Structure formats: C-alpha cells, structure tokens
Amino acid sequence: MSSIQAVAESYKVFNPRAYLQNNYVPPRADFSSEDSVMCWKLRRLHEACAKGEIKGHTLVDIGSGPTIYQLLSAFEHFQEVIMTDYLEINRQELKMWLNNEPGVFDWSPYFEYVCKLEGKGESWKEKQKRLRECVSRVIPVDIHQSSPLGREVASGSIDCLVSSFCLEACSPSLVAFHKALENVVGLLKPQGHFLWIGALEESYYLAGEARLSVLPVTEDMVKKALSKAKCVVREFSTYSMTPSMKVGVDDVSGIFFAWAQKDAAK
Ligand code: SAM
C-alpha cells in the first residue's frame, strides 16, 4: 500500500474535465433511466433531506472535486455552504461554475431532476441561481490533517457535512481511512449530520492521465469506521453497478449512501 505522500503525488495529474466526462454524462448520469447510478444517488440525498431533520447554519462539502450535484438537496436547508478540495485545479473549476463562466460543465439535467423530486414547481434556473448564491467559499482541504480545513473552519463548528467519493479515494490504508474519517467528523458539532456517498470494492479510477488508487472498502468496513468515529448510522443503502454502468473508467462494484449523525457526547 502506498503512503499519503504517494496518493498526493498521483493527484498531481488529476484532470477534472476527464473525470466529469467519465462519470457525469450518460450512461452513469442518464436521467431518462431511473436505474442509472446518478438518479439513485440524487434520490437518496433528496429522501434524507426531505425528512426535515437535516438543517442548520453551515454545510461543508468535503473533497468536492469539480462537482456540485452532491449539494442539490442539502443546500436548501442551510444559510451557508462551503465547498472544498485538495487540488487548486478543482477549486478553480468550481469557481468558474459559481461565476457562470463560458464553457463550464452543464449541470442543468441534475437541477431539473432534483426540482422534479422536490415537486415544488421551481424552475431549475432559479435553483441553480440560489445554489450559486449560497456557496460562500471554495477552500483547500486535506482529510489527513487533524484540522482538515486549517484555521478557516474550527473543529466542532459545523452543522452538516456532505462528502462523495473522497475518503476511500485518497486513503492509502484502512488506518488512514479511519483517521481521515475521524478528522472529518471532528469538524461537526455534537449531533451534526453527515451525508456520505462512496465507492464499494473499488481499487482504482481514471481521470485523464491520472490513475488513482482507491482503498477497496465493503459495507461492513464503512459501518465499522462510522461506529469507530462515534457516529450513529441513521440510514444506509447500497447500489450495485449494473453492466451498463461499467464503462471502463474504474473497477467500482457498488456505491454506498450513509446518513450518519455524530454522537451527542463527542
Ligand atoms: N466529490 C466529487 C465527486 O463526487 O465526484 C469528487 C470525488 S474525487 C473521486 C476525489 C477528490 O478528492 C478529488 O477531487 C481530489 O482532489 C480530492 N482529494 C485528493 N486528496 C485529498 C485529500 N488529502 N484531502 C481531501 N481531498 C482530497
């Protein structure tokens, strides 16, 4: 197993545009098919957020990469959203989208799908405008530091975290994965919520020239890690990659969705 430094080295050639093309267009994001993995992820997030318990002042997305879909349901219940990534190139991509610069990735089908799930009759453009207004900052993160957001965000100060495909994709070992989860959960207030999506039994993924090693985790490993980090699992579900979702850009076998809540006493 490689070290944290080796993981960081491998991310130097991460290509956000190739990553988006590999994962965020059909067939993986085919909104005409409810079986597509993206519809599943957006439904899980929508259903958890629609329960009305997940709310507060600040929502932080850990390891946003160049994507915003993971926030489409949750941001509605917070006054401020902070997006984060380890790589400047990804933070740049997000800032370009926030500023609506020419040539940015088109997330409109995602907004349309979530507007339909919410059933409020809101136009996707209106929702997009509100998300852009709600994101206050795009800042660096390193999940391997005890304070992953440095001095910008104090530990124990956050109401809710979202994270998708980050912890297992940047941890060289199970020990590092546990520690990273502990670091991330440390940002939450007691009883803060964590909406976590990740890959099951994946060993690598591609993003242009980059071939990123992933820690292959099982459902059981994820649940044990949450318990070790003093989090209570409120909901847990999995999706098995169907043959049509296997497009040769990784070896992921499934996806997990967890809604967890930090222990009151921690
Ligand atoms: N959240 C996005 C998604 O759902 O597609 C991107 C996930 S991508 C597989 C993994 C992300 O982790 C990349 O954006 C990468 O820059 C980021 N990353 C790499 N090393 C990291 C670290 N030490 N701490 C936090 N994030 C890191």
Side-chain angles (χ1 to χ4, degrees):
M1 263 296 165
S2 61
S3 64
I4 286 169
Q5 288 88 330
V7 175
E9 195 60 33
S10 67
Y11 271 96
K12 282 189 178 158
V13 285
F14 181 95
N15 179 330
R17 287 303 171 110
Y19 178 72
L20 289 167
Q21 201 55 37
N22 289 349
N23 295 289
Y24 296 105
V25 299
R28 288 191 168 180
D30 177 359
F31 293 97
S32 66
S33 162
E34 288 292 323
D35 295 339
S36 110
V37 62
M38 185 45 70
C39 293
W40 182 86
K41 289 188 266 184
L42 293 176
R43 280 200 307 274
R44 293 290 78 76
L45 290 164
H46 164 72
E47 284 161 15
C49 294
K51 293 207 158 73
E53 271 187 68
I54 299 172
K55 58 188 174 194
H57 187 278
T58 311
L59 171 69
V60 174
D61 180 22
I62 298 290
S64 307
T67 74
I68 57 99
Y69 72 91
Q70 61 277 20
L71 293 167
L72 296 189
S73 293
F75 91 92
E76 298 287 356
H77 308 279
F78 295 87
Q79 285 168 44
E80 180 191 10
V81 174
I82 301 174
M83 300 192 78
T84 73
D85 200 71
Y86 183 75
L87 295 177
E88 168 65 22
I89 197 169
N90 284 335
R91 300 195 297 271
Q92 215 41 54
E93 190 72 33
L94 291 174
K95 286 177 193 166
M96 282 167 62
W97 181 81
L98 289 168
N99 295 331
N100 198 13
E101 290 181 21
V104 291
F105 191 77
D106 176 16
W107 294 102
S108 64
Y110 293 69
F111 280 95
E112 283 179 292
Y113 185 75
V114 177
C115 282
K116 225 183 317 150
L117 289 177
E118 289 173 351
K120 294 188 285 195
E122 186 184 28
S123 80
W124 71 266
K125 283 192 176 162
E126 187 54 35
K127 189 174 174 72
Q128 176 172 267
K129 182 168 169 280
R130 288 189 303 99
L131 175 57
R132 283 180 166 140
E133 287 166 358
C134 204
V135 177
S136 63
R137 286 176 278 170
V138 181
I139 61 175
V141 63
D142 184 351
I143 58 168
H144 302 304
Q145 302 298 320
S146 55
S147 296
L149 301 172
R151 291 202 194 128
E152 288 248 14
V153 179
S155 57
S157 67
I158 298 302
D159 301 288
C160 182
L161 295 171
V162 171
S163 189
S164 48
F165 304 102
C166 175
L167 274 71
E168 72 285 9
C170 317
S171 298
S173 65
L174 190 57
V175 172
F177 179 75
H178 281 158
K179 185 72 192 135
L181 181 62
E182 196 185 298
N183 294 338
V184 166
V185 168
L187 292 165
L188 283 175
K189 291 177 180 169
Q191 292 192 295
H193 296 275
F194 182 24
L195 296 169
W196 189 14
I197 293 179
L200 291 169
E201 286 160 1
E202 183 177 48
S203 72
Y204 79 93
Y205 73 98
L206 305 176
E209 295 285 290
R211 185 183 194 279
L212 297 312
S213 290
V214 181
L215 180 75
V217 292
T218 61
E219 175 174 346
D220 194 46
M221 285 158 81
V222 173
K223 286 180 178 165
K224 281 196 176 125
L226 281 168
S227 157
K228 201 166 183 290
K230 305 258 187 307
C231 287
V232 175
V233 174
R234 300 289 308 274
E235 274 185 27
F236 198 98
S237 45
T238 59
Y239 172 97
S240 261
M241 295 307 268
T242 57
S244 62
M245 296 295 117
K246 294 185 181 173
V247 292
V249 297
D250 54 42
D251 62 351
V252 65
S253 74
I255 309 286
F256 70 86
F257 165 78
W259 166 18
Q261 201 170 3
K262 186 173 174 177
D263 197 308
K266 215 186 169 202

